[in-house]
Amino acid sequence: MDDTRILVVEDDADINEVVCERLGRDGYACVSAYSGSEARPRVCRRAESAGGLRAAASDGGHTVLAIGRWSLDIDAHTFRVDDEPVSLTNIEFAIVELLMGHPDTVFSKRQVYELCWGEPYMVDDNTVTAHISKIRAKLRASGTDGYIRTVWGLGVKLAVPR
């Protein structure tokens, strides 16, 4: 499988910089956006041909991450599984956004806490574990709770469906 992730952004250089910085430049192919109706199908076809859907697309002015059966509209702050909305708290949304922005990357509890809460990690408690458990519970009915994998002794990651 081609490990390139595709990033389609607006032609505005400032937006390009912010989006690329937020998602991480490594492993992303950045291309200019077509109209919203053209961009998403092109990105999805390219990502699917690479063996799995891993795309970030500017769709109607919104940044949308799509992996497997999941889609996350960062601007509208919505998360969907198979086009069905899944209600997430702000912290749950931030965790899903972090994982979707960096598929197959293992994050420690400390990293998840500091990146999603924006505060220093002081005490090893169950805060991160509890939030991830709540996300998995919300996904269980769709059968996609297994996308979030625990890597024992290290942390959690989004396992890209193959």
Side-chain angles (χ1 to χ4, degrees):
M1 179 173 132
D2 181 351
D3 201 23
T4 301
R5 296 176 201 123
I6 302 165
L7 176 61
V8 180
V9 292
E10 299 295 329
D11 287 329
D12 183 323
D14 292 334
I15 292 173
N16 288 354
E17 187 67 25
V18 170
V19 172
C20 286
E21 198 64 41
R22 185 172 191 162
L23 294 174
R25 290 191 175 114
D26 295 338
Y28 279 87
C30 293
V31 295
S32 289
Y34 299 90
S35 71
S37 61
E38 274 184 64
R40 184 156 185 157
R42 284 176 183 239
V43 169
C44 291
R45 278 195 304 275
R46 170 66 180 97
E48 286 168 349
S49 72
L53 184 57
R54 299 209 247 175
S58 175
D59 188 1
H62 289 218
T63 302
V64 178
L65 298 174
I67 297 178
R69 296 167 49 201
W70 290 8
S71 66
L72 185 83
D73 185 325
I74 295 169
D75 301 309
H77 208 270
T78 57
F79 176 62
R80 296 178 173 275
V81 176
D82 297 329
D83 285 329
E84 293 296 320
V86 176
S87 179
L88 299 176
T89 66
N90 287 337
I91 291 295
E92 292 167 351
F93 187 91
I95 292 169
V96 170
E97 180 181 359
L98 174 67
L99 296 175
M100 288 183 75
H102 305 280
D104 291 324
T105 301
V106 178
F107 290 94
S108 69
K109 288 196 304 185
R110 171 184 295 277
Q111 289 172 312
V112 172
Y113 189 88
E114 290 180 352
L115 291 167
C116 295
W117 275 262
E119 301 173 3
Y121 187 72
M122 303 295 266
V123 178
D124 186 17
D125 64 8
N126 287 328
T127 303
V128 172
T129 304
H131 279 81
I132 290 175
S133 293
K134 289 178 184 177
I135 296 167
R136 285 180 173 141
K138 292 177 179 185
L139 296 169
R140 199 161 288 122
S142 71
T144 63
D145 54 311
Y147 283 24
I148 299 175
R149 299 265 174 89
T150 299
V151 180
W152 296 109
L154 296 177
V156 297
K157 70 176 185 172
L158 178 68
V160 178
R162 308 273 180 222

